[in-house]
Amino acid sequence: MLGRQPAPVPWESRWIPWPDFWLPTNKVAAADALREAWSRAEVERVEIACGGGIGRTGTALACLAVIDGLPNHEAVDYIRQQYSPRAVETPWQRRFVSRFK
């Protein structure tokens, strides 16, 4: 989840265009990628990453928690308790999680 395409890696990867401190540039494609990651995590190792590991990663993890059944209004607090107290850095990232389907 970066604002620019990352360098190639020797394993399968999927880039979600997502500028630092903002939201994914294509919310539908991001939601599809997160649903795929959640599904694949049941049987294989999945990595979610951004440049700093807090805002975008925290937002994505909160969305994964919603996909897993956690109510939207609890997801940010849950990720801040379980991952990082600084996760989901901006008001618009919190709103994104609150409206994530």
Side-chain angles (χ1 to χ4, degrees), residues 9-96:
V9 292
W11 55 86
E12 183 180 350
S13 66
R14 185 168 178 184
W15 168 50
I16 300 173
W18 191 331
D20 199 9
F21 297 106
W22 292 98
L23 298 175
T25 57
N26 183 328
K27 295 177 182 88
V28 173
D32 288 345
L34 291 170
R35 283 188 188 83
E36 178 185 345
W38 180 85
S39 177
R40 293 177 72 166
E42 185 173 6
V43 294
E44 62 188 286
R45 186 172 295 213
V46 175
E47 177 182 2
I48 303 289
C50 67
I54 302 295
R56 293 168 286 183
T57 297
T59 302
L61 292 173
C63 291
L64 289 172
V66 170
I67 292 169
D68 199 46
L70 193 67
N72 295 62
H73 68 275
E74 295 177 18
V76 171
D77 286 340
Y78 176 78
I79 294 304
R80 285 179 174 167
Q81 290 169 5
Q82 300 300 317
Y83 175 67
S84 170
R86 294 176 34 225
V88 192
E89 294 175 303
T90 67
W92 38 92
Q93 289 173 340
R94 289 190 298 276
R95 190 175 318 113
F96 182 74

